[in-house]
Amino acid sequence: MTALERLGPLPATTGAPYLVTTGVDRRAVAVEVTADASVTVVEMTVHGRWSEQLGGQVADAVRLCLAGPTRAIIIDLRDVGDLHGSSLPFWAAAARSARLAPIPARLALCLPPGTMLDHRLRHTEAGVPRAFPTMAEARIVLAGPLVRTHRRMQGRLPAHPRSVRAARDLVARACQAWQLNRIRHDAALVMSELAANAVEHAGTDAVATVVGDGSRLHLAVRDGDTRYPRFTERKSGQLGRSLGERGRGLRLVHAVAVAWGAMPARGGKVVWATVSPQTGPALGAGLDSREPGDAGPPGGVPTGTG
């Protein structure tokens, strides 16, 4: 499969979790991905000489990002060798994939002015991503409007069991403010598990984010541990029984969320999940999430609302 073909939609058989990892070649890191705390904005840094192999790695990373709530992808190409600008068709296809994703996203490139790729991008009338000379300029243009226009609530979570309740309360406030009570239970259940995973396994302070998108909620928890959560799906026929017995962990997230995954973040990672009415009637109903923080007041500190 060519790099262009790999930019197509993820097959339905791929399924969650969507785990974005660092791409490497025989010599060094080739593709690095860094998400913000909400996974709304993702930055990607590409290294090396442009080739079919490198394009394939970028395509895989872009597709995994588009499986989640990402609205903007900024790709740093300042360390990519492309003397003749031959990667232009790839970037046009990548921009199209982003526009046509289930959650449409904008894609922008950062590259030195005066290169052949920069020249070709600026002289192509339509269908190609916008080019910026610096990452800072790209962030202002792409990320700024998202922060101002999206419904968003965010809270800091200390590395303490009480933070699980605080994260759940954050979801409850968001659902009440945005009239999303239909998915309140499932969303709170999923957020509880994401927060508990950060408290128990990362052991660092974290940031919980809730973003409203129509009838959906995008949930994310950023912590200071780079290790990804481990997930092993139960065999067919065992899931219902195991959920009834445990009502715990990432298997519950897998069952309740329409999609979930993880991305690298600066100094850690972000684990995200999307909850929608289409997940079914209260899949988590009757199941108790982990509540190690039930003894005592909420531990999170709200830092913003949308």
Side-chain angles (χ1 to χ4, degrees), residues 29-284:
V29 172
V31 180
E32 298 175 275
V33 177
T34 304
D36 67 358
S38 66
V39 199
T40 303
V41 180
V42 173
E43 296 182 7
M44 193 178 304
T45 305
V46 185
H47 307 273
R49 186 176 299 279
W50 185 257
S51 65
E52 187 71 25
Q53 178 184 0
L54 184 57
Q57 290 182 311
V58 175
D60 290 343
V62 168
R63 289 201 306 170
L64 288 169
C65 292
L66 294 177
T70 300
R71 291 298 189 106
I73 302 175
I74 306 171
I75 304 179
D76 188 349
L77 300 179
R78 290 174 294 180
D79 193 33
V80 173
D82 185 9
L83 182 61
H84 302 292
S86 58
S87 61
L88 178 65
F90 175 88
W91 298 119
R96 182 177 184 274
S97 294
R99 290 194 304 270
L100 298 179
I103 300 176
R106 298 176 64 189
L107 187 144
L109 306 178
C110 174
L111 69 165
T115 61
M116 182 56 71
L117 178 57
D118 178 67
H119 175 80
R120 295 187 66 185
L121 285 167
R122 296 183 188 281
H123 288 80
T124 300
E125 291 186 0
V128 297
R130 186 172 174 181
F132 295 88
T134 67
M135 292 293 286
E137 292 181 60
R139 292 185 194 111
I140 292 171
V141 174
L142 267 70
L146 294 176
V147 173
R148 293 191 296 269
T149 60
H150 277 66
R151 297 180 298 177
R152 177 191 305 243
M153 291 189 182
Q154 197 168 69
R156 295 191 301 271
L157 303 177
H160 191 282
R162 287 197 299 268
S163 290
V164 177
R165 172 185 281 185
R168 188 169 62 248
D169 290 345
L170 183 69
V171 169
R173 292 199 300 272
C175 288
Q176 182 176 10
W178 304 332
Q179 299 181 350
L180 293 174
N181 287 320
R182 181 180 175 186
I183 59 174
R184 174 176 175 172
H185 182 89
D186 284 351
L189 194 63
V190 169
M191 179 61 94
S192 294
E193 295 300 338
L194 298 184
N197 187 71
V199 169
E200 295 176 9
H201 299 291
T204 69
D205 290 352
V207 175
T209 305
V210 183
V211 176
D213 180 16
S215 63
R216 295 173 293 193
L217 277 183
H218 302 303
L219 314 172
V221 174
R222 182 199 184 281
D223 61 51
D225 187 351
T226 58
R227 296 173 298 175
Y228 275 13
R230 298 182 63 182
F231 171 74
T232 303
E233 191 171 7
R234 289 290 179 113
K235 295 180 180 179
S236 177
Q238 292 184 340
L239 184 58
R241 179 179 60 82
S242 63
L243 284 176
E245 291 174 356
R246 298 173 297 106
R248 304 293 191 268
L250 294 176
R251 292 194 188 94
L252 188 149
V253 175
H254 188 73
V256 176
V258 293
W260 72 280
M263 292 188 193
R266 288 182 176 83
K269 67 177 178 298
V270 184
V271 183
W272 62 269
T274 297
V275 178
S276 164
Q278 282 68 45
T279 56
L283 286 173

